[in-house]
Structure formats: C-alpha cells, structure tokens
C-alpha cells in the first residue's frame, strides 16, 4: 500500500488531495496547524501531526516526510511573498534531508509547481491567477532546480 504525506490538508486543495488518497485506500499522514480544521472524514482515517510549518525546523519536517512514498505539499499561498518562498525552501530541504534510501516523490502545489520543463523531467500545471499572481516566485523555481 502506498504511503502519502500531505502538507496543508486543511485548505481547499489539500483537503481534496487528502480525500483522494483515502479513496484509493492508501495510508495518509497529514501535518496541520489545527486539527479542528481538518475534515472529520480525513481526521478519522489519517495519521495527524499538529505543527506550524513556518515555525517547524526543516529537520523535524524531514522526520515527518521520511518513510513515505510521496509528499504532496499544498501548504502556503503564492501571494504571501517571502513567507511562501521560505516555506517552499524548507519543504525542498526536508525532502533532501530524508534518511530513506529513496526519498519520496514530491508534488509541490499551491502555486509552487514550476512551468513545464520536459528536458529536466519536470511537469508543471496550469494555475489560475491568485491576486494577480500566476507564476510562482522565481526563487522557488531556482530552488527546485538546485
């Protein structure tokens, strides 16, 4: 059975992703700031860790991510500017720091996905404008490429 970690499962996108994971019968772990905002059908069936991703050290986040087949990051909002860039960097750093011999496949969503880059094996998705911003900050694209 696949094991999936989801960040931002209390948000609109993250709650849909969490439900899809459960519908497929996969094991789900979520990291949320407030368990009370997590949909009850998700909370009852997931391993729930309560934390503030902005305050959590990257090493601790790596411990949460480690051992999963995939990480889906739906946390953060592209219009948050530098806070979003910092969060994105922390998530990528955590994935890089996992102890597993094979790090999880990481899906970086919430405006963080890069535009299509077929030559590098990455794929982006079309995103609607959020507050006049469509593309992720260039720093996020550069960080992912590194």
């Amino acid at each position: 059975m696949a094991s999936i970690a989801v960040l931002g499962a209390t948000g609109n996108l993250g709650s849909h992703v969490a439900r899809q994971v459960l519908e497929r019968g996969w094991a789900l772990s979520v990291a949320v700031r407030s368990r009370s905002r997590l949909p009850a059908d998700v909370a009852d069936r997931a391993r729930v860790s309560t934390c503030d991703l902005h305050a959590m050290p990257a090493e601790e986040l790596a411990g949460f991510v480690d051992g999963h087949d995939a990480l889906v990051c739906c946390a953060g909002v592209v219009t948050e500017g530098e806070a979003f860039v910092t969060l994105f960097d922390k998530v990528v750093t955590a994935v890089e720091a996992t102890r597993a011999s094979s790090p999880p496949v990481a899906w970086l969503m919430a405006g963080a996905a890069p535009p299509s880059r077929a030559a590098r094996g990455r794929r982006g998705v079309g995103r609607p404008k959020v507050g006049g911003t469509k593309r992720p900050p260039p720093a996020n694209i550069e960080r992912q490429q590194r």
Side-chain angles (χ1 to χ4, degrees):
M1 171 183 356
S3 175
I4 313 297
V6 176
L7 305 177
T10 59
N12 185 43
L13 178 61
S15 64
H16 287 292
V17 170
R19 284 186 176 113
Q20 289 177 8
V21 168
L22 293 171
E23 286 170 9
R24 285 164 177 76
W26 298 336
L28 173 66
S29 299
V30 297
V32 297
R33 263 186 301 215
S34 173
R35 184 184 179 104
S36 65
R37 290 190 56 219
L38 194 62
D41 58 326
V42 173
D44 291 343
R45 298 173 55 203
R47 187 184 107 213
V48 181
S49 296
T50 305
C51 63
D52 180 348
L53 293 175
H54 291 285
M56 178 184 236
E59 299 80 22
E60 190 175 329
L61 182 55
F64 170 78
V65 172
D66 202 28
H68 290 89
D69 299 310
L71 166 68
V72 183
C73 180
C74 302
V77 179
V78 72
T79 57
E80 292 177 335
E82 190 58 36
F84 184 66
V85 171
T86 300
L87 178 62
F88 183 88
D89 179 63
K90 184 182 295 187
V91 171
V92 174
T93 298
V95 170
E96 292 172 339
T98 58
R99 294 177 302 276
S101 59
S102 172
V105 172
W107 287 83
L108 305 166
M109 301 173 83
S116 294
R117 297 185 185 281
R120 300 276 316 242
R122 297 185 179 103
R123 293 186 185 154
V125 295
R127 298 167 308 279
K129 286 191 176 188
V130 178
T133 303
K134 183 171 182 177
R135 301 253 181 233
N140 288 7
I141 295 169
E142 292 166 9
R143 175 63 179 99
Q144 186 175 8
Q145 288 174 339
R146 280 185 279 141

